[in-house]
C-alpha cells in the first residue's frame, strides 16, 4: 500500500545496549526522515518516553541485565498507542510468545538488513496512519450524529413555533376586527400591526432553521437582489461587531436569479459571519452585487465550472487575516475548520458551496495572508422577468360563508384561534382535538358538514386517516390539511385530489379564508 506516514511526525525510540548497532540504525533512519531517540537501558528509555511523543519503539529483548519485553507495558502506560517492534539476536519460541502476549507489532531477528528494517517501520506508520484516519472518520461521524440530533430538535421546535405563530396571527386578526369602529387609539392599532409583522418575521426565521436542518424542501423562486440585499445587509449589521464597517454596493444592472430565497440568505449570512470572525480587531466588510457576462475565455468557463452566459455575481470581501494556500486547498471540505474547538462545525462553507452548486452556480475564493479574503458567487441570471402585478385587494366579506366546517387540531390555542377566525367570517365551526372526536361530531352533523380543516399529525389517528374515514360518510368533503412541517417532509401527496389542499403553518387568516372559499365554491367531480 502507499504509505501516508508523512502525515505523522515519525518519532522512534531505539532501546538496545549495543552502541555500534544503535549508531548504525540511528544514522540509517535519520537518512530516511525519522527522528530517533536512543536509550541504552530500560531506565533511560522511560526517561525519554516522558520527554517526547513516541510512535514506534525498536526494542531488544535483552537490554543489559533487563528483560526488554517487560518494558513494553511501562511504555504503553505513557503512550497507549505505541507500536513495539522486537529486535533480537536470541529468537526462540518462548520469547516470541511473550512478545505476542505484550501485543508487540512485529518481531525481527538480528542481523537486520536496512531494507527489512525500513519495510517494518513503513508498515508501522501505515498502521498508525490508518488508525489516525479511523479516528478522524469516527469524529466526523460523531459530529454528523450530533448535527442530525440538532436538526431533529430544530425541526421539532420549528413545528411547535409554527403552531404558536398560527394562534397568534389568528387571534390578532380577530382582535383587530373586534376593535374596528371602536374608540381605540392609533398607538394601540399600531402595536397590533407591529405584533403581526414581528410574528411573520419570526416565522421567516423558523423557515431558515428548517432549511438548515434539511427538513424544509427546496423552493426556487425569482429573487430580485436589489430588493433582498439591503434587507439582508441590515441583518448582517446586527451580527457583525461595531468595529466592522459594512458597505453594500448593489449595481443597477444586477439581474434577478432563480434560487431558494432562504438558502441564498444562508449563503450570504455564512460568508458574512466568516468574514467577521476573520477580523477580531475590526475591519471592513464589502458586499457587492453586479452583472457579469462570461464568454469562453472567462476563467470559470475555461475551468468547466460554468457555461458561457449572464450571471449575477455576489462578492463578499473582508480585510481580515487572510488564508494561506494550504488552508485554501481545504476550505470547502466537510468538517474542515480553522476555528477553535467548540466554535465551528466545519460545515459552513461546505454547505455554502453545496447550495451554490445546486442553484446552478459556482463559488471561488481569493485570499492572501494579512490582506483579507474575497468569496465570489456566480448565479445564473433570469432573463425577461417582470415584477408581477400586485394582487387585487379582496374584501373580507367576499371570503365569508355560512357552511359548516370541522376544525381538528390537538393544540388548544391553535384550534381556538382557527375556530374564531372562521367563526368571525360567518362559518359554523365544529372544533375538536382528536380523530375519534372529529368522527363523532361529523356523524352528528352529517347533513351539514361541508369541509374539514385538520392537522396532519394528530395523536392516535393522523389527519389522513381521519379524512379517509370522514369521506366514507361525506364523499364530497372539502379538506384543508395543515402542519408546522412542510408537506414534503410529511410525504403528503395530494395529486389527483382536487378537493384537498395543504397549508403550511403559520397561515395568514386571509389566506385560510381565501383557500376555504375557493374549495367550497369549486365544482369538482368526485374521485
Amino acid at each position: 500500500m502507499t504509505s501516508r506516514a508523512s502525515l505523522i511526525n515519525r518519532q522512534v525510540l531505539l532501546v538496545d545496549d549495543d552502541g555500534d548497532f544503535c549508531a548504525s540504525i540511528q544514522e540509517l533512519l535519520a537518512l530516511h526522515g525519522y527522528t530517533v531517540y536512543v536509550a541504552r537501558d530500560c531506565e533511560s528509555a522511560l526517561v525519554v518516553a516522558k520527554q517526547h511523543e513516541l510512535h514506534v519503539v525498536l526494542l531488544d529483548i535483552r537490554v543489559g541485565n533487563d528483560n526488554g519485553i517487560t518494558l513494553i507495558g511501562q511504555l504503553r502506560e505513557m503512550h497507549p498507542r505505541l507500536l513495539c517492534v522486537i529486535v533480537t539476536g536470541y529468537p526462540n519460541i518462548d520469547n516470541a510468545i511473550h512478545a505476542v502476549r505484550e501485543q508487540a507489532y512485529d518481531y525481527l531477528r538480528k542481523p537486520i538488513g536496512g531494507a527489512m528494517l525500513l519495510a517494518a517501520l513503513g508498515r508501522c506508520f501505515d498502521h498508525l496512519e490508518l488508525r489516525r484516519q479511523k479516528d478522524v472518520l469516527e469524529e466526523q461521524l460523531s459530529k454528523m450524529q450530533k448535527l442530525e440530533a440538532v436538526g431533529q430538535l430544530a425541526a421539532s421546535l420549528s413545528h411547535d413555533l409554527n403552531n404558536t405563530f398560527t394562534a397568534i396571527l389568528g387571534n390578532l386578526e380577530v382582535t383587530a376586527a373586534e376593535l374596528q369602529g371602536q374608540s381605540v387609539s392609533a398607538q394601540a392599532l399600531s402595536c397590533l400591526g407591529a405584533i403581526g409583522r414581528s410574528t411573520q418575521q419570526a416565522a421567516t426565521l423558523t423557515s431558515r432553521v428548517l432549511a438548515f436542518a434539511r427538513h424544509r424542501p427546496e423552493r426556487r423562486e425569482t429573487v430580485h437582489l436589489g430588493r433582498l440585499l439591503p434587507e439582508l445587509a441590515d441583518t448582517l449589521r446586527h451580527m457583525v461587531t461595531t468595529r466592522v464597517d459594512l458597505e453594500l454596493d448593489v449595481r443597477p444592472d444586477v439581474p434577478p436569479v432563480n434560487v431558494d430565497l432562504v438558502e441564498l440568505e444562508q449563503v450570504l449570512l455564512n460568508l458574512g459571519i466568516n468574514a467577521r470572525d476573520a477580523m477580531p480587531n475590526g475591519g471592513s466588510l464589502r458586499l457587492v452585487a453586479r452583472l457579469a457576462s462570461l464568454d469562453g475565455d472567462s476563467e470559470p468557463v475555461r475551468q468547466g465550472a460554468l457555461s458561457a452566459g449572464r450571471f449575477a455575481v455576489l462578492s463578499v470581501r473582508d480585510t481580515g487575516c487572510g488564508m494561506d494556500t494550504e488552508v485554501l486547498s481545504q476550505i470547502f471540505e466537510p468538517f474542515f475548520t480553522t476555528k477553535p474547538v467548540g466554535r465551528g462545525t466545519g460545515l459552513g462553507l461546505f454547505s455554502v458551496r453545496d447550495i451554490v452548486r445546486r442553484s446552478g452556480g459556482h463559488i471561488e475564493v481569493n485570499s492572501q495572508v494579512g490582506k483579507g479574503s474575497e468569496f465570489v458567487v456566480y448565479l445564473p441570471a433570469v432573463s425577461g422577468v417582470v415584477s408581477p402585478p400586485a394582487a387585487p385587494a379582496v374584501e373580507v366579506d367576499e371570503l365569508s360563508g355560512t357552511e359548516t366546517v370541522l376544525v381538528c387540531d390537538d393544540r388548544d390555542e391553535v384550534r381556538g384561534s382557527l375556530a374564531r377566525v372562521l367563526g368571525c367570517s360567518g362559518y359554523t365551526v365544529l372544533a375538536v382535538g382528536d380523530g375519534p372526536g372529529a368522527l363523532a361530531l361529523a356523524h352528528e352533523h352529517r347533513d351539514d358538514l361541508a369541509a374539514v380543516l385538520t392537522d396532519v399529525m394528530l395523536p392516535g389517528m393522523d389527519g389522513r386517516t381521519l379524512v379517509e374515514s370522514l369521506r366514507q360518510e361525506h364523499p364530497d368533503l372539502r379538506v384543508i390539511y395543515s402542519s408546522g412541517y412542510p408537506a414534503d417532509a410529511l410525504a403528503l401527496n395530494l395529486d389527483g385530489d382536487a378537493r384537498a389542499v395543504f397549508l403550511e403553518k403559520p397561515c395568514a387568516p386571509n389566506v385560510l379564508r381565501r383557500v376555504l372559499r375557493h374549495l367550497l365554491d369549486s365544482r369538482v367531480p368526485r374521485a
Side-chain angles (χ1 to χ4, degrees), residues 33 74 84 134 235 334 354 356 358 383 391 407 418 441 445 454 508:
Q74 295 173 286
C84 180
K134 178 175 176 288
T235 302
D354 178 54
V356 171
R358 283 191 285 105
S383 301
V407 174
L418 294 172
L441 266 180
H445 296 267
T454 179

Side-chain angles (χ1 to χ4, degrees), residues 10-30 34-49 52-63 68 71 75 82-88 108 110 112 117 121 125:
R10 302 185 296 175
Q11 301 201 82
V12 178
L13 172 61
L14 174 59
V15 185
D16 200 294
D17 58 358
D18 185 335
D20 292 337
F21 176 76
C22 289
S24 62
I25 295 298
Q26 188 173 26
E27 182 178 359
L28 171 67
L29 297 185
Y34 292 92
T35 299
V36 183
Y37 303 102
V38 175
R40 302 287 293 279
D41 55 62
C42 292
E43 185 177 346
S44 300
L46 293 173
V47 172
V48 172
H52 302 282
E53 179 186 2
L54 299 175
H55 302 109
V56 177
V57 57
L58 300 174
L59 179 63
D60 195 350
I61 288 180
R62 296 183 181 179
V63 185
L71 181 63
L75 290 173
L82 186 72
L83 295 184
C84 180
V85 178
I86 299 297
V87 181
T88 181
L108 302 178
K110 293 179 181 178
I112 309 168
L117 179 60
L121 284 175
F125 282 93

